[in-house]
Amino acid sequence: MGARGCLVTNDWICGEYLRSRAPELWEATLQHLALTAASVTIGCAVALPLALAARRWRALAGPVLGLTTLLYSVPSLAMFSLLLPLFGLSAALVVTGLALYSLTILVRGALLGLESVPEEVREAARGMGYGPLRRLWEVELPLALPALLAAVRIATVATVALATVGAIVGHGGLGTLILDGLDTSFRAQVLTASLLCVLLAVAADLLLLGLGRLLTPWRRTARTTGRGRAVRTA
């Protein structure tokens, strides 16, 4: 059987599958990345205004958080079915559904970050003549950034997993390969696509972790200063 032996015997681990299906795997991985990035980006663009409104008008906080939690509880098949008349069987259907699911995490994270900004800091910014938009952009968002980025990390990892569900409408990235492999009992395809999903989630989490450290250098300075003081005290 030679090099193709593992394909003939339908092994779980098969180097020949990786070599012969590399373009297909690469295309599915790129589609998975595109679905995830678009969904989380749209989710962030919607979540921040909702969190700002919930913080500004406290009566909205309960309904906003309740609605986003309700959206997350809708089964994926039902969610896609409800969106189907609007988007048809397209990638936009999957992206919209994933963006709606991400709102539960992103809205709560954004609201938590904004509420963590001390009121005295806001008052100081007002006293320095900062208007609402400048205060938000230059004072509140930087201080809320750690909580925001933590929410984005969680939402991204969750979206990488949920994106596989898009296979039911033909736009699931690696999920399509997993579903096709299950239908045909193609072991190497199921295992390879599943492992790629895990690697994507880990890589995205590490990338966002590094981005968070890059965007919040003052936190590293604070930790270093704290350790230095502890050493001197000891």
Side-chain angles (χ1 to χ4, degrees):
M1 289 184 290
R4 299 181 63 84
C6 59
L7 288 176
V8 175
T9 56
N10 196 24
D11 293 339
W12 286 103
I13 301 175
C14 183
E16 180 59 26
Y17 170 76
L18 294 175
R19 288 188 292 272
S20 62
R21 302 292 183 87
E24 183 181 15
L25 289 168
W26 180 245
E27 182 181 357
T29 301
L30 289 179
Q31 185 187 59
H32 209 101
L33 283 170
L35 290 171
T36 301
S39 302
V40 175
T41 299
I42 294 172
C44 289
V46 175
L48 186 56
L50 287 177
L52 288 170
R55 190 199 62 174
R56 175 65 177 81
W57 298 285
R58 299 304 303 173
L60 290 178
V64 167
L65 293 175
L67 177 60
T68 55
T69 301
L70 178 63
L71 288 172
Y72 197 81
S73 68
V74 177
S76 55
L77 184 59
M79 176 70 80
F80 289 159
S81 298
L82 291 172
L83 296 173
L84 186 60
L86 296 175
F87 300 100
L89 295 175
S90 64
L93 170 67
V94 180
V95 169
T96 303
L98 294 176
L100 290 175
Y101 281 132
S102 72
L103 290 179
T104 301
I105 301 168
L106 294 173
V107 171
R108 290 180 181 274
L111 185 57
L112 177 64
L114 290 169
E115 290 182 336
S116 68
V117 179
E119 184 59 33
E120 55 269 24
V121 173
R122 295 194 182 97
E123 289 296 333
R126 292 190 191 99
M128 295 172 64
Y130 281 44
L133 289 178
R134 186 183 178 193
R135 187 171 66 247
L136 173 65
W137 183 253
E138 297 186 13
V139 178
E140 296 180 23
L141 285 181
L143 292 177
L145 197 57
L148 288 170
L149 288 174
V152 171
R153 286 177 60 196
I154 297 172
T156 300
V157 172
T159 302
V160 170
L162 283 171
T164 58
V165 181
I168 62 179
V169 295
H171 296 277
L174 293 166
T176 301
L177 295 183
I178 294 173
L179 184 60
D180 289 346
L182 290 172
D183 288 341
T184 58
S185 298
F186 194 171
R187 293 177 177 177
Q189 181 163 301
V190 172
L191 181 60
T192 303
S194 299
L195 287 175
L196 284 174
C197 279
V198 174
L199 291 175
L200 277 181
V202 173
D205 188 51
L206 292 176
L207 179 63
L208 289 170
L209 177 62
L211 179 63
R213 290 180 175 176
L214 182 65
L215 294 177
T216 56
W218 62 86
R219 300 189 75 199
R220 296 198 303 273
T221 302
R223 285 195 294 267
T224 303
T225 302
R227 286 195 295 267
R229 289 175 179 172
V231 170
R232 287 195 297 271
T233 302

